[in-house]
Amino acid sequence: MINNIMKNPTFQQLFNLAGKRALVTGAGRENGIGAAIAKGLADFGAEIILHDKAFESNRVCEQISAAGGVCTMIEQDFSKAGGGRQLINDVYQQFDKVDIVVLNASYQKVGPFNELTDNDVSQQIAINFQANFELLQAVLPRLKDQGWGRVVNIGSVNQRNPKSIVSAYAASKAATHNLIQSLARDYAPYQVLLNTVAPGLIDTYPENRAGDSQATASWDDYAEQLNWMKRAGQPQEVVGAALYLASPACSFMTGENIFITGGY
């Protein structure tokens, strides 16, 4: 058993990520949850490795660098078999270690249950579950050997309260949290802690409504019905929980789930 808990730390020390390196998957979109988490971890000192299937721009890395952070981009397609394992191989070809892994990459296909095709289902399982399974197989032994690590899985409220229009997505998110729980016990003695943050409705595509008052009104009406706060969350509202779970402050919590839903 490894016990490397700091003695009488300040709260600034507990959240200080200087010297830590964080891999954030699916983080290439400027308005996405992954990008917000990457920027938040960088603000607290972590060096960032951004992953995405294909980067349309380097805007997120530019923002991190402009704020004084360090950022690298790596592409890998999680829809392909072996993509999660290959990402870790690529990362360790460039870097000597990773301390924090944020499993954010996901794909959602909305549609009636009976209209989902085999490909619709297989793509969601591949990206949302299989790639994470492979990635964890490759990275967890390394985190165990170094005696410290944090895995933050970005789940969904749908893993607990599924809707039929996102049936395959909900099932894949529930499966990944189940995986997190099943692994947490084995790695806890090595200070490798695995937890999930499960957001509700988060406004990650505001550009789709830009300049369209009707689309904005329709979105606002939809969001008002989904939670007690009667609005969609913003990506930055997920960052605080992710920061805690990625930091030394999270030293006695593993296999758990934090819902960020606005009340549900």
Side-chain angles (χ1 to χ4, degrees), residues 63-111:
Q63 291 172 339
I64 291 172
S65 298
V70 178
C71 182
T72 302
M73 299 187 298
I74 297 183
E75 294 182 348
Q76 185 57 240
D77 187 353
F78 277 5
S79 70
K80 307 299 184 184
R85 188 173 297 109
Q86 186 59 50
L87 174 62
I88 295 303
N89 291 340
D90 293 345
V91 166
Y92 278 90
Q93 285 179 1
Q94 295 188 45
F95 301 97
D96 62 340
K97 68 161 188 166
V98 170
D99 305 284
I100 300 159
V101 178
V102 181
L103 304 175
N104 173 73
S106 69
Y107 169 63
Q108 181 185 92
K109 176 68 175 181
V110 178

Side-chain angles (χ1 to χ4, degrees), residues 6 12-22 40-48 70 97 99-100 148 243 246-248:
M6 290 186 286
Q12 286 181 328
Q13 289 174 319
L14 286 173
F15 286 94
N16 183 7
L17 299 179
K20 305 295 187 187
R21 183 176 290 122
L41 298 181
D43 282 348
F44 280 80
E47 179 181 342
I48 304 299
V70 178
K97 68 161 188 166
D99 305 284
I100 300 159
W148 196 96
L243 171 64
S247 72

Side-chain angles (χ1 to χ4, degrees), residues 205-213 215-216:
Y205 286 91
E207 65 273 19
N208 291 351
R209 306 187 306 277
D212 188 334
S213 59
T216 298

